[in-house]
């Protein structure tokens, strides 16, 4: 799992960059889930840089969370699943997973705004969506935060038991 999280942490920013570098061939797939008929061929360099910045910000945040989760897996592999490093790593991942619900909604909104700038018939369109997928992600993020608190309580109990013995 530590290797998988490392690969994910490296791949996410690289994929975000690749989408914008190879825009002409990858743009239709990247924007397919937006639900609007944008003419992405008219997107200028400034809009592409803005889109890259928006995409890269979320990818880097997720990468940071995956690297924190990796620390948890590495500690567990060393038979220290309740060390402070493991608990801190999972806690960071949990809070980032929760924050990404809102960051993702903001990213989607900004991408639609950026894409609409290049489409003359949809100039300046703004679409904000927070629906069932986002509610599901919110629930999972809150669940991760809860589990992180349980891990922290377990770590405190383990420390207390160790001091007592």
């Amino acid at each position: 799992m530590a290797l998988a999280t490392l690969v994910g942490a490296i791949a996410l920013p690289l994929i975000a960059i690749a989408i914008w570098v190879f825009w002409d061939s990858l743009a239709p797939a990247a924007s397919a889930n937006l639900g609007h008929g944008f003419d992405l061929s008219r997107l200028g360099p400034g809009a592409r840089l803005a889109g890259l910045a928006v995409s890269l910000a979320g990818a880097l945040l997720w990468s940071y969370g995956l690297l924190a989760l990796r620390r948890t897996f590495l500690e567990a592999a060393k038979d220290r699943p309740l060390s402070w490093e493991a608990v801190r790593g999972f806690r960071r991942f949990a809070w980032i997973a929760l924050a990404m619900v809102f960051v993702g909604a903001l990213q989607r909104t900004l991408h639609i705004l950026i894409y609409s700038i290049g489409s003359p018939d949809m100039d300046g369109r703004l679409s904000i969506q927070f629906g069932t997928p986002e509610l599901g992600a919110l629930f999972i993020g809150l669940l991760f935060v809860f589990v992180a608190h349980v891990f922290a309580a377990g770590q405190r109990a383990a420390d207390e038991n160790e001091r007592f013995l």
Side-chain angles (χ1 to χ4, degrees), residues 76-122:
K78 294 176 185 174
D79 202 28
R80 298 187 303 235
L82 290 178
S83 70
W84 276 114
E85 285 295 316
V87 171
R88 187 177 318 127
F90 190 81
R91 183 178 283 163
R92 284 182 184 156
F93 170 76
W95 282 108
I96 287 172
L98 183 59
M100 282 306 297
V101 173
F102 303 102
V103 171
L106 178 62
Q107 279 183 297
R108 183 180 188 285
T109 301
L110 291 174
H111 277 133
I112 289 175
L113 184 61
I114 291 166
Y115 295 162
S116 70
I117 290 170
S119 296
D121 56 331
M122 296 183 192

Side-chain angles (χ1 to χ4, degrees), residues 65-77:
L66 287 174
L67 290 174
L69 183 60
R70 181 176 186 269
R71 172 54 45 202
T72 301
F73 291 138
L74 290 173
E75 288 294 306

